[in-house]
Amino acid sequence: MIPSVLPTYNRAPLTFVEGAGAWLTEADGRRFLDMGAGIAVNALGHAHPALVAALTEQAGRLWHVSNLYRIPEQEALADRLVAETFADTVFFTNSGTESLELAVKMARKHWHAAGEDRPEIVTFGGAFHGRSTAAIAAAGSEKMTAGFGPLMPGFVHVPWGDHEALRAAVTERTAAVLIEPVQGEGGIRPLPDQCLRGLRELCDATGALLILDEVQCGMGRTGRLFAHEWAGVAPDIMMVAKGIGGGFPLGAVLATERAGSAMTAGTHGATYGGNPLACAVGLRVMEIVADPGFLETVRTRGAELRAGLERLVAAHPEVFEAVRGRGMMLGLKCRLPAAEVMTAGFAEDVITVPAADNVLRLLPPLTLTAAEAEEALARLDCAARAARAAAEAA
Ligand SMILES: *Cc1c(COP(=O)(O)O)cnc(C)c1O
């Protein structure tokens, strides 16, 4: 019999009932160190007092009015995002997938309004942009698209790191190039800064728009407010979600005036997008994460964590191969199956998240303390030992 919850997820047999900061309490009372943060969503950890206050204060006042009316919380968050980034304008969504949908529509509409036939969007191997029909067509992997055809046309797929294929793919029919500055689901694969700069040049030379998917790597995750800032170049359109709501469903599409101006009244909508509850929380998240001192701490903690992971790789060469990533978006490329190491971590009360390419992801709350980072590393050390022992016994 099919379970009452449609079983599209392989769930770990863990039930968390409470969270505080980087800690999650399981139904049996065990306390787990959360190095997954709900897949980079709980950017400020669990039950951050400022976010609880923002949410409950708003909840007692006004939940929802729809986008038929002005929403002050939404305008305040948009103003803040515009002030802190390349963007001139923002549309709020409820998820990364919805942000992908608008990014695609916006790029195509831009060229349609310009009277040019440029429908194609260039994407990359290993990409992940969500699970809608457009998003799976955009990423293109067989694993996600099998059985769901006919797929939305217009996406041109280029292998990750293949500069020649990229140059050939971007033509006068290209509306936009869409890329994650650090691939998340694809296995924590950072795009080198010089490649992002080269991509910006390629887009400028051909006129194509540059869309960055910062759903996972944005909102302070890499130690900058947005990951592309490391390269010193800006996109035309950017997708955001995950960390921006700190656990409340919220996403956004940020755009320059040039890229966004064809999206006039009636061309797009979202009933819930940017509702007062989501934006009250999102504004508080932004106020905390955009603080230069906060981002400095993310960089420091990320460097400490990375150094500790390098030590783990050196100590367990049969389990781990290398460390990848930037800031507090880190991956351990594994030699043993990453899922086995993750499961061994559960037994040590530490949570990690597997990714493609046999990588174990660490996406802890950005508020992780130095002591918590040390504790997580100690638990992962035990997990690696146990995973190796189990592999040898098998
Ligand atoms: C998670 C993710 C998405 C999809 O976001 P949802 O909120 O699950 O729809 C899109 N792009 C990237 C890079 C992601 O990590």
Side-chain angles (χ1 to χ4, degrees), residues 146-165:
F148 296 118
L151 296 178
M152 183 176 176
F155 293 101
V156 177
H157 302 107
V158 171
W160 181 259
D162 188 336
H163 294 94
E164 249 169 70

